[in-house]
């Protein structure tokens, strides 16, 4: 075979190979990172019903929640308001107030418990509960941060006989960026509970 013909065939093979490799590549090789996405969470409409039991208080709670409570020998009571569809629970603890020192100690204990969250929290916002007619006083803590275990807490008292604290927990390791719509939904329920709350 003539050397020039062999050279032409070699060139044609190399050219065909280059065309094949070029065809196999994506036209857009520039990779752009995509923003992180989260699963869509379908939240039920807010519906409420009155909780009226042997407990020394009443309030309106979500119709989508289930409530259970257990009295302790010392007069305290543990109560759970469970949201099965959202895998979340408001955990309540009721304390009878024995004297002024008892109330002071309960409030100080709440402040101490809040400090445990400061390591993970980006910010803590405080809101005051005040209704002299009920009477009802207290504090709401919105705890912001991707990995905080309890994004919402609050306590209420009549300053004479009753003290009630509540904490929102998720029954899994939370990522509060993705859970923000659920947290806001449950915060609305908590505010409705506070606004309809009454001591017996």
């Amino acid at each position: 075979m003539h050397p020039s013909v062999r050279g032409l065939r070699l060139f044609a093979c190399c050219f065909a190979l280059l065309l094949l490799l070029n065809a196999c590549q994506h036209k857009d090789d520039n990779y752009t990172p995509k923003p992180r996405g989260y699963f869509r969470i379908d939240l039920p409409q807010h519906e409420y019903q009155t909780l009226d039991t042997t407990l020394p208080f009443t309030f309106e709670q979500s119709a989508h929640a289930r409530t259970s409570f257990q009295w302790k020998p010392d007069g305290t009571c543990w109560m759970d308001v469970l949201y099965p569809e959202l895998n979340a629970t408001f955990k309540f603890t009721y304390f009878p107030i024995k004297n002024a020192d008892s109330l002071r100690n309960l409030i100080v204990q709440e402040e101490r418990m809040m400090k445990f969250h400061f390591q993970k929290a980006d910010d803590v916002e405080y809101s005051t509960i005040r209704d002299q007619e009920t009477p009802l006083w207290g504090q709401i803590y919105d705890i912001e941060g991707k990995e905080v275990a309890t994004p919402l807490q609050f306590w209420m008292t009549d300053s004479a006989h009753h003290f009630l604290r509540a904490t929102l927990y998720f029954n899994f390791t939370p990522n509060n960026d993705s859970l923000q719509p659920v947290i806001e939904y449950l915060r609305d329920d908590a505010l409705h509970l506070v606004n309809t709350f009454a001591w017996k």
Side-chain angles (χ1 to χ4, degrees), residues 36-163:
R36 179 175 293 184
Y38 298 108
F39 291 109
R40 176 185 169 90
I41 302 172
D42 293 319
L43 299 170
Q45 291 291 322
H46 290 288
E47 298 176 62
Y48 299 103
Q49 59 191 15
T50 301
L51 177 75
D52 193 2
T53 62
T54 57
L55 295 166
F57 50 82
T58 182
F59 56 78
E60 290 185 7
Q61 71 170 36
S62 172
H64 306 288
R66 295 198 314 256
T67 304
S68 63
F69 60 91
Q70 181 180 13
W71 285 99
K72 300 296 178 181
D74 62 356
T76 62
C77 182
W78 295 349
M79 181 176 76
D80 287 349
V81 177
L82 173 67
Y83 289 74
E85 293 179 6
L86 302 178
N87 212 8
T89 306
F90 278 105
K91 291 192 171 289
F92 290 80
T93 308
Y94 167 78
F95 301 90
I97 297 176
K98 299 172 183 176
N99 50 50
D101 286 339
S102 172
L103 175 59
R104 189 180 306 109
N105 291 338
L106 287 167
I107 294 173
V108 168
Q109 183 180 354
E110 290 301 307
E111 294 298 324
R112 285 178 181 162
M113 292 177 72
M114 276 302 306
K115 291 180 181 177
F116 287 116
H117 299 288
F118 289 169
Q119 296 175 359
K120 298 277 188 181
D122 296 330
D123 189 25
V124 179
E125 294 184 7
Y126 299 78
S127 304
T128 301
I129 300 168
R130 180 174 297 172
D131 183 349
Q132 295 183 349
E133 293 182 6
T134 305
L136 190 66
W137 291 274
Q139 196 86 258
I140 300 173
Y141 308 99
D142 287 288
I143 309 165
E144 298 177 6
K146 183 177 180 179
E147 298 179 355
V148 295
T150 58
L152 180 67
Q153 297 184 22
F154 60 93
W155 59 264
M156 299 181 291
T157 182
D158 65 351
S159 76
H161 306 289
H162 310 291
F163 187 94

